Amino acid sequence: MSKLNKDARYPVTMTLNGEEVTGHAEPRMLLSDFLTHEIGITSCHVGCEHGVCGACTVIVDGTVMRGCLTLAVQADGTTVETAESLASKDGKLSELQLAFKKHHGLQCGYCTTGILMSLTAYLEENPKPTEEELRDMLSGHLCRCTGYVGIVKAVLDYCENSTE
Amino acid sequence: MADVALGKKFLGQPVERVEDEILLMGKAQYSDHLPTRAGTQHAAILRSPHAHAKIISIDTTRAENIPGVTAVMTGDDVKEMSEAFLIVLRQPINQWALAVEKVRYVGEPVAIVVARNRYIAEDALAEIDVTYEAMKPAVDQEEAILDDAPIVHEAVGSNVVSTRDFTYGDPDDAFAAADKVVKMKIRYPRNSQTPLEGFVVTADYHQGENLYDVASNYQGPFTSHPVMSMALRVKNSQLRMRTPQWSGGGFGIKVQIFPYVVLICLASKKVGKPVKWVEDKLEHLSAAAAAPNRLIKMEAAVKNDGTVTGFRFDQQDDYGAFLRAPMPGPLYRMHGILTGAYDIKNLSVTNRVVMTNKCPSAMVRGFGGPQMYYGIERIMHKVATELGMDPLDVIRKNLVPAGVFPYRAAAGALIDSGDYPGAVERAVKEGALEDLKKRRDEMRAAGKKYGIGYAAIVEPAQSNMGYLSNILPRDERQRNPKGGAVANATVNVDPLGTVSVTADSIPQGQGHMTILSQIVADVLGLTPDQIKVNLDFDTAKDAWSIATGNYSSRFSSATTVACLKAAEKVKAKLARIASQTLNVPADQLEFVDGKIRDPSNPENGINFYRAAGSAHWTPGNLPDEMEPCVRETGSWSPPELESPNEKDQINTSLTYGFVFDFCGIEVDEDTGEVKIDKYVTMHDSGTLLNPLLADGQVHGAFAWAIGCALYEEFVYGDDGSFLTGTFADYLVPTAWEVPEPQIVHMESPSMLTPLGAKGIAEGNCMSTPVCLANAVADALDVEDITLPMTPTRISAMIHGEEKPPNNDKPAVTIPVKGEGNVLRGTGETFVPAEPLEVWNTLLDPKALAAVIPGCHALDLIGDNSYEADVSLGVGPVRGRFKANVGLTEMVEPKKATLSGGLIGPLGASQGSGHVFLEAADDGTKVSYDYAIELTGTVASVGGRLLEGAAKALVKQFFQRLGAQVGGRPVSGGEPWWRNLLRSLGLLK
Ligand code: FES
Ligand code: FES
């Protein structure tokens, strides 16, 4: 990446959930701030801003990333997916989302979107994790509300019964 | 009863949540997403690096000159523009939204910068110069009460700001007649459930109306609303508070937004524009709120058969630096139920409120219950141990018996319903306790440390707004009696017959919309998805009262009732309208499947929407004197919530559920880890409104309780520095650490709430930590158990205290003032130059400036003393510091002592070290040792990074020294912290 001037604002263009969007960011602006305050999506939640809680998790060019540890300018020219991409265009929840609903896998929902993004990438590689593997993977996320029970049940149920 | 009033088609069923769709899609608008007006400014807050210090001066000039900065405010501005916050106690404990004259805890707000964006505001913080004069802090609650302790609030003259004694029954007699007196001293740590979403406040001051319009994820109780409006010197109606229906968790903590609401309001007034502030996690962990740590000295009067005839409590709560309303709630919220689940008539209590130089305490889920039950249930366990009885038999012996409800507990709680012995036996059977006991025997036979723990607790819900009155002397509280708890909800039916609901419950993720929709659907014969619940709340438009908000599990026993009442009013009105057309008396009509009809002739009915529509379209046709439109508000306050009586008895809550837990744990002797093998939790929370959501609350409380028992604690150094400022230091359990408990339910409907429901969201916060502690006590056969039971603590109990490894010991012991966060180290390096050359470099300011990593300037300010301007950072934080370094005990060219300090917005440090120079082949062997004491942000966030960072920094210093002396002047290079971040994988 070429050298950027710290006080200038740069155009950042990305394919966000299948649509090209452009905004402007100073070099130090976080991707999480950019998505929320520059683009205006509402799923990239900031829980800790230091990489521990996972609430800000998004997928950048196929790789799961923390929005709070990524700079917006790093995401220029990339393809970014957030939780807004999971339901169908006409607003039908995906089977994984429906499983969360069925098993009460969320309360305040603040951690949920990040968890869904991690799961989306993870389950592609590991479609049938054991409960132990799943809990290990989920340990990259903090949830203060659910005690994780509903989350684990939802994912195992989805893996067992998904028709997708 | 509920079953009669409602069809119970949806209520009581595990209905999936109406909230979930929008949340799962990521479309919910939390506070940070709410629209703001163009021109909105952003705030950042400068916080104290000291636990206790006088503010000598604050120079904001440089910060104000930064382009993009709109204003900088300090305590002086705030004091001029506002009043100190009203508190419950009549004591001169004055707190403003920014520190005035002195700081009293690390993290206390000292100044606020308002700027075009948050990034600029944070930059400007680094340019505010505050001169402090450090004072000795009162940190430990037991030391804070000693005569020579530093005083947190001089005007009070003591750190013990309230002492109240209470006696119920005849405890002296009970103790005199006891076969045995069992005593215990118990400590409960500081912790908090730390919602993922931090505090958010946007304030917009409207000059013409002298009105503050605030949007915030504040959660109530709205007893704090007058506290804020009085601080702002406006009428209540001039402080408009709006709270969004989506919140990223609250757990009680978000009541403590209120001082920031005032701060941001003042900032908006000052700059004449809306101002927004979003709290970050370091601010949250260090300065938002903590449940008070408690010291309990407890005694039980015991008969040889295990009957406990009396309790004596001496409870001392550490509220930190200020008493923000509703503090000292945790000491009084449980007061009526101080005898827990037991039929104990004799009780004496001393409650002490202690101030220290720590973050002010606040409401946190469980609100006094975790502390109190840690005392009660630990001592019940000890009673069993001392009598050689099974702990469960001691519990059984003392439980409030079946069939005595409503039962008046010694200190005044009116327990509404239950069957405690029945619940215990059901849990024992369904949870297969006998099998667990067998398992313990087998595990022990195999040489394992295995234990079983029990806890029985009563879970209160819907606090009596008068519960704090007991802190005042009788005559004083009689002059201004307080009691009750009002809830409000409104049901509206629009011209097309669609139903909407609002309420004052300020949800934080529990699923209130779903339950309200279940209630209204049942009353009106509709389905939950036909009921649109909107829980955005606005004091300018909604029905509200002081009890409004989300706390003390008030939703299921209070808001639901207000909603039921509103729905029933709507039903009555529509029935009257329908009765005109159907020619059937209104009270004989039924509401089923969207129809209002005659049950004996279902053909004779009209559509719900048609009946409702006529109130809008043809009001002239309404029955006599009926008002048009369909909008009804239900308000409810239970008569059982009275103010304290002349015997100091108080019914502190409306409903009382019962929780009984038991568990099996194994302690790993090698690692000190506590492994939860089995956990059973029995809940009698009255009628369950939605079992799916009820279990969700149990799971959430349980997970946090696991944190409290095993991981979570706000840790302070002896100097008051805060040491747990990130989620890498304050450990929160993940999916890996939280097992799924077995939940057993029993339903004894409350006779005091029309729906029969009680609270369920806090029970495990109270029962689980002590249940696990009892199990560990059983496994290790120890009495003194300190939470959290970390591997280090458990190992110390098994193997004795761990000795620090030898190689970390400094060659020379360097004394430090306190033991805050102290880094010590030693090392040596080789420099290819004569000792004298090295020596001269150390004394040459120019050369030294090139050697010190991150040094911008270095000046000689006296004999061998320097002042330097350096940039340093650890992990995610980085800042500029002023350093003062002096060289003493100099023996040219052999050794010198360096000492000095750093001060900057991120904290302060004091340290010293020794340097030894020794000629070695073709050069000099340089050896050194150091001890550095840290306070402020750097101490808070660094836990696991600092040790390595200091080592890297010191090493880099000597490498650069070598390079400098060796004639290879050091180039700019990369700052040391980048190397560190890289080695930690945080930087590419
Ligand atoms: S906000 Fe990014 S990991 Fe917590
Ligand atoms: S649902 Fe609230 S943090 Fe997970």
Side-chain angles (χ1 to χ4, degrees):
Chain A
M1 190 177 285
S2 57
K3 226 172 171 187
L4 302 178
N5 173 354
K6 82 175 171 55
D7 296 316
R9 276 160 69 79
Y10 294 88
V12 173
T13 301
M14 57 179 70
T15 307
L16 176 64
N17 302 327
E19 215 176 283
E20 189 178 297
V21 297
T22 301
H24 287 81
E26 287 172 12
R28 60 177 170 170
M29 186 181 234
L30 300 175
L31 179 59
S32 48
D33 280 349
F34 178 81
L35 290 173
T36 307
H37 296 298
E38 188 70 15
I39 302 299
I41 64 157
T42 49
S43 72
C44 183
H45 304 149
V46 171
C48 68
E49 229 174 352
H50 56 259
V52 180
C53 76
C56 63
T57 304
V58 296
I59 299 177
V60 180
D61 280 344
T63 305
V64 177
M65 305 255 252
R66 301 289 208 219
C68 75
L69 295 183
T70 309
L71 297 171
V73 289
Q74 287 176 284
D76 185 34
T78 62
T79 297
V80 177
E81 282 156 74
T82 65
E84 280 91 343
S85 68
L86 300 175
S88 69
K89 281 256 170 327
D90 57 352
K92 286 214 176 54
L93 295 185
S94 71
E95 287 189 26
L96 180 62
Q97 287 172 314
L98 284 170
F100 267 66
K101 187 166 189 255
K102 175 173 160 201
H103 293 282
H104 193 22
L106 65 155
Q107 288 184 25
C108 78
Y110 207 73
C111 67
T112 314
T113 42
I115 291 178
L116 287 172
M117 293 322 285
S118 281
L119 283 169
T120 302
Y122 175 79
L123 295 176
E124 225 158 81
E125 303 281 310
N126 313 274
K128 291 247 182 291
T130 62
E131 178 171 341
E132 186 151 295
E133 287 165 348
L134 176 64
R135 283 182 178 269
D136 187 27
M137 174 267 153
L138 286 172
S139 70
H141 290 266
L142 299 181
C143 173
R144 284 308 244 169
C145 301
T146 62
Y148 308 101
V149 175
I151 301 174
V152 171
K153 284 202 174 131
V155 181
L156 292 178
D157 183 1
Y158 165 79
C159 293
E160 185 79 4
N161 299 310
S162 160
T163 56
E164 275 169 0
Chain B
M1 278 304 306
D3 314 41
V4 188
L6 302 177
K8 266 229 163 189
K9 204 164 161 193
F10 300 105
L11 211 59
Q13 300 304 313
V15 175
E16 288 180 21
R17 302 202 317 168
V18 298
E19 286 90 345
D20 287 355
E21 203 143 310
I22 184 168
L23 290 169
L24 285 160
M25 288 185 181
K27 303 270 188 187
Q29 291 188 25
Y30 296 89
S31 287
D32 192 25
H33 304 126
L34 297 181
T36 49
R37 206 145 66 75
T40 297
Q41 303 291 297
H42 297 265
I45 296 170
L46 182 72
R47 293 172 182 274
S48 167
H50 294 285
H52 199 190
K54 271 205 193 78
I55 300 172
I56 305 295
S57 65
I58 304 181
D59 183 353
T60 58
T61 327
R62 272 189 295 133
E64 278 161 10
N65 288 338
I66 292 179
V69 170
T70 331
V72 182
M73 294 168 73
T74 67
D76 287 346
D77 303 302
V78 163
K79 195 175 172 191
E80 202 178 297
M81 296 171 75
S82 65
E83 301 297 321
F85 298 116
L86 209 68
I87 62 167
V88 177
L89 273 184
R90 311 268 187 272
Q91 285 281 23
I93 299 173
N94 290 331
Q95 185 192 11
W96 281 268
L98 290 175
V100 170
E101 287 164 21
K102 73 174 195 172
V103 289
R104 293 181 171 87
Y105 63 97
V106 170
E108 181 169 1
V110 171
I112 179 172
V113 174
V114 181
R116 195 178 64 229
N117 66 40
R118 173 73 183 247
Y119 292 79
I120 297 173
E122 290 201 14
D123 284 349
L125 295 183
E127 304 300 327
I128 300 175
D129 281 327
V130 187
T131 309
Y132 295 100
E133 184 185 309
M135 301 164 74
K136 206 167 170 286
V139 182
D140 179 82
Q141 72 174 136
E142 288 185 76
E143 287 168 18
I145 63 171
L146 301 177
D147 284 345
D148 59 347
I151 301 290
V152 182
H153 293 276
E154 284 88 353
V156 183
S158 163
N159 290 329
V160 184
V161 298
S162 164
T163 305
R164 289 277 288 139
D165 294 311
F166 303 90
T167 304
Y168 305 96
D170 193 343
D172 288 344
D173 195 47
F175 276 84
D179 293 330
K180 207 175 189 36
V181 173
V182 177
K183 299 184 182 185
M184 240 183 162
K185 183 171 168 180
I186 291 147
R187 287 178 196 80
Y188 196 87
R190 285 197 150 222
N191 50 30
S192 155
Q193 201 174 345
T194 63
L196 278 195
E197 180 202 39
F199 298 175
V200 182
V201 181
T202 305
D204 191 355
Y205 177 67
H206 296 219
Q207 195 173 30
E209 306 168 81
N210 191 24
L211 176 131
Y212 296 97
D213 187 354
V214 176
S216 169
N217 48 3
Y218 175 70
Q219 75 174 100
F222 276 69
T223 41
S224 299
H225 189 276
V227 175
M228 292 184 274
S229 54
M230 282 159 105
L232 289 166
R233 299 176 182 150
V234 293
K235 294 195 199 98
N236 243 14
S237 55
Q238 287 165 311
L239 172 61
R240 177 183 186 181
M241 288 285 289
R242 291 180 289 129
T243 60
Q245 57 187 339
W246 306 111
S247 167
F251 317 119
I253 295 123
K254 282 179 175 162
V255 63
Q256 293 307 334
I257 298 176
F258 83 77
Y260 296 103
V261 168
V262 169
L263 180 62
I264 304 305
C265 280
L266 296 175
S268 171
K269 184 174 186 176
K270 168 126 181 173
V271 303
K273 292 177 181 168
V275 176
K276 177 173 175 177
W277 171 70
V278 181
E279 178 195 54
D280 71 25
K281 220 19 127 236
L282 171 61
E283 295 183 288
H284 188 84
L285 294 172
S286 61
N293 45 304
R294 181 175 297 180
L295 174 74
I296 312 175
K297 291 178 197 150
M298 223 187 141
E299 293 180 9
V302 179
K303 294 281 184 200
N304 282 334
D305 67 351
T307 309
V308 177
T309 54
F311 275 153
R312 278 189 186 132
F313 283 92
D314 185 331
Q315 309 194 94
Q316 190 202 91
D317 262 18
D318 173 357
Y319 283 94
F322 293 101
L323 274 180
R324 305 175 297 192
M327 293 302 106
L331 206 44
Y332 286 89
R333 182 250 186 152
M334 304 295 296
H335 191 89
I337 193 74
L338 267 165
T339 39
Y342 305 116
D343 183 23
I344 296 172
K345 301 275 187 255
N346 307 300
L347 172 69
S348 81
V349 195
T350 301
N351 282 342
R352 296 171 212 275
V353 175
V354 176
M355 309 307 290
T356 59
N357 291 108
K358 299 206 279 287
C359 172
S361 300
M363 293 201 328
V364 179
R365 195 175 191 169
F367 202 40
Q371 294 90 332
M372 183 188 92
Y373 286 116
Y374 196 69
I376 295 179
E377 292 306 287
R378 284 293 295 124
I379 207 163
M380 293 304 274
H381 180 94
K382 189 176 174 191
V383 166
T385 315
E386 292 212 350
L387 294 177
M389 288 175 69
D390 183 329
L392 184 54
D393 289 336
V394 174
I395 290 175
R396 282 179 171 130
K397 185 114 221 150
N398 292 288
L399 285 175
V400 173
V404 298
F405 298 96
Y407 170 90
R408 180 72 70 177
L414 183 69
I415 305 182
D416 41 348
S417 64
D419 173 4
Y420 298 178
V424 166
E425 296 324 316
R426 191 189 290 189
V428 163
K429 188 153 164 268
E430 289 185 29
L433 177 62
E434 285 315 310
D435 293 349
L436 186 65
K437 284 183 172 170
K438 271 193 215 115
R439 180 162 165 77
R440 174 172 63 183
D441 293 344
E442 286 161 15
M443 294 292 275
R444 285 184 175 175
K448 306 273 191 216
K449 298 224 174 285
Y450 196 97
I452 294 178
Y454 305 91
I457 66 120
V458 172
E459 174 181 4
Q462 175 60 77
S463 288
N464 182 347
M465 291 293 100
Y467 76 83
L468 266 169
S469 304
N470 248 351
I471 201 170
L472 303 173
R474 267 170 227 157
D475 51 332
E476 205 171 314
R477 68 182 190 237
Q478 267 153 15
R479 264 179 273 138
N480 183 13
K482 292 202 178 77
V486 184
N488 293 287
T490 300
V491 176
N492 184 66
V493 191
D494 68 24
L496 297 185
T498 48
V499 181
S500 57
V501 178
T502 59
D504 68 355
S505 73
I506 328 271
Q508 311 288 316
Q510 295 94 334
H512 293 177
M513 288 179 201
T514 302
I515 292 189
L516 296 179
S517 73
Q518 288 175 265
I519 293 172
V520 177
D522 272 350
V523 175
L524 300 181
L526 302 169
T527 53
D529 60 342
Q530 291 175 309
I531 315 293
K532 180 65 201 154
V533 183
N534 184 321
L535 296 178
D536 286 337
F537 175 76
D538 182 343
T539 55
K541 297 179 152 194
D542 290 309
W544 64 281
S545 178
I546 49 164
T548 290
N550 185 345
Y551 58 94
S552 82
S553 304
R554 82 183 264 272
F555 176 77
S556 46
S557 18
T559 311
T560 54
V561 181
C563 180
L564 174 70
K565 290 201 168 292
E568 280 174 341
K569 283 189 201 172
V570 166
K571 181 179 180 180
K573 182 165 186 169
L574 295 182
R576 269 183 75 200
I577 295 173
S579 123
Q580 278 188 322
T581 329
L582 303 177
N583 281 322
V584 180
D587 58 0
Q588 284 174 27
L589 291 170
E590 64 173 9
F591 286 57
V592 181
D593 296 339
K595 292 225 159 40
I596 305 171
R597 65 185 192 193
D598 177 358
S600 56
N601 175 17
E603 295 300 302
N604 185 22
I606 66 166
N607 284 324
F608 176 88
Y609 70 84
R610 198 162 283 287
S614 64
H616 293 274
W617 301 101
T618 49
N621 293 348
L622 292 176
D624 288 348
E625 284 163 43
M626 182 182 275
E627 290 173 5
C629 295
V630 190
R631 181 183 181 84
E632 300 291 343
T633 294
S635 292
W636 189 63
S637 180
E640 291 78 14
L641 295 183
E642 300 159 332
S643 12
N645 65 18
E646 68 293 344
K647 287 191 242 153
D648 290 334
Q649 284 183 311
I650 173 140
N651 186 22
T652 28
S653 301
L654 175 63
T655 61
Y656 298 89
F658 177 70
V659 181
F660 171 68
D661 289 1
F662 66 85
C663 69
I665 62 97
E666 185 196 338
V667 175
D668 186 316
E669 266 194 275
D670 296 328
T671 62
E673 188 196 354
V674 176
K675 294 185 203 151
I676 301 168
D677 188 34
K678 175 174 178 128
Y679 202 101
V680 177
T681 182
M682 143 62 80
H683 288 257
D684 183 350
S685 308
T687 309
L688 293 180
L689 301 173
N690 182 329
L692 186 67
L693 273 55
D695 283 355
Q697 289 306 309
V698 172
H699 289 140
F702 176 71
W704 183 49
I706 298 280
C708 299
L710 303 178
Y711 308 103
E712 299 182 30
E713 181 176 17
F714 288 131
V715 180
Y716 286 83
D718 287 350
D719 63 349
S721 53
F722 180 69
L723 307 180
T724 40
T726 70
F727 276 148
D729 308 286
Y730 186 84
L731 297 180
V732 166
T734 71
W736 190 253
E737 286 86 23
V738 184
E740 182 181 347
Q742 180 186 345
I743 302 175
V744 183
H745 286 294
M746 185 162 131
E747 296 185 55
S748 311
S750 169
M751 51 187 72
L752 303 182
T753 68
L755 290 170
K758 306 184 179 187
I760 194 166
E762 297 181 272
N764 287 89
C765 306
M766 308 180 188
S767 59
T768 300
V770 66
C771 183
L772 289 168
N774 282 340
V776 170
D778 182 45
L780 300 181
D781 194 18
V782 291
E783 180 187 317
D784 195 8
I785 292 187
T786 308
L787 300 185
M789 298 179 283
T790 57
T792 320
R793 285 195 175 131
I794 297 286
S795 295
M797 283 195 269
I798 304 174
H799 309 292
E801 293 286 341
E802 201 179 336
K803 294 196 186 63
N806 269 339
N807 54 6
D808 256 359
K809 269 210 184 126
V812 185
T813 324
I814 300 167
V816 287
K817 277 196 310 193
E819 286 278 328
N821 198 1
V822 181
L823 307 172
R824 293 173 184 276
T826 59
E828 65 177 47
T829 185
F830 177 78
V831 179
E834 294 291 309
L836 191 61
E837 258 184 281
V838 178
W839 182 262
N840 288 337
T841 308
L842 278 174
L843 296 189
D844 170 9
K846 257 218 188 76
L848 200 57
V851 169
I852 295 173
C855 182
H856 303 285
L858 184 133
D859 301 309
L860 192 64
I861 53 165
D863 262 1
N864 297 317
S865 74
Y866 307 90
E867 189 175 272
D869 175 14
V870 289
S871 283
L872 294 173
V874 176
V877 291
R878 184 161 64 93
R880 235 164 141 141
F881 294 82
K882 211 170 234 56
N884 280 297
V885 186
L887 289 166
T888 51
E889 301 173 76
M890 297 160 66
V891 182
E892 183 185 325
K894 288 203 172 107
K895 64 171 187 174
T897 300
L898 287 108
S899 49
L902 280 177
I903 176 105
L906 293 179
S909 74
Q910 283 291 328
S912 63
H914 303 96
V915 189
F916 304 92
L917 308 180
E918 206 179 305
D921 26 39
D922 288 344
T924 307
K925 188 178 105 185
V926 182
S927 44
Y928 53 86
D929 59 49
Y930 59 85
I932 310 166
E933 218 187 342
L934 300 154
T935 58
T937 310
V938 182
S940 309
V941 303
R944 53 190 62 198
L945 299 179
L946 281 173
E947 199 84 35
K951 277 204 177 97
L953 184 61
V954 174
K955 193 165 161 204
Q956 205 187 6
F957 172 82
F958 285 105
Q959 276 169 353
R960 290 163 70 108
L961 179 69
Q964 176 81 13
V965 181
R968 281 167 279 119
V970 270
S971 61
E974 280 215 306
W976 62 274
W977 53 270
R978 287 198 153 262
N979 290 324
L980 178 74
L981 288 187
R982 190 165 292 118
S983 68
L984 290 168
L986 296 173
L987 205 72
K988 281 206 185 113

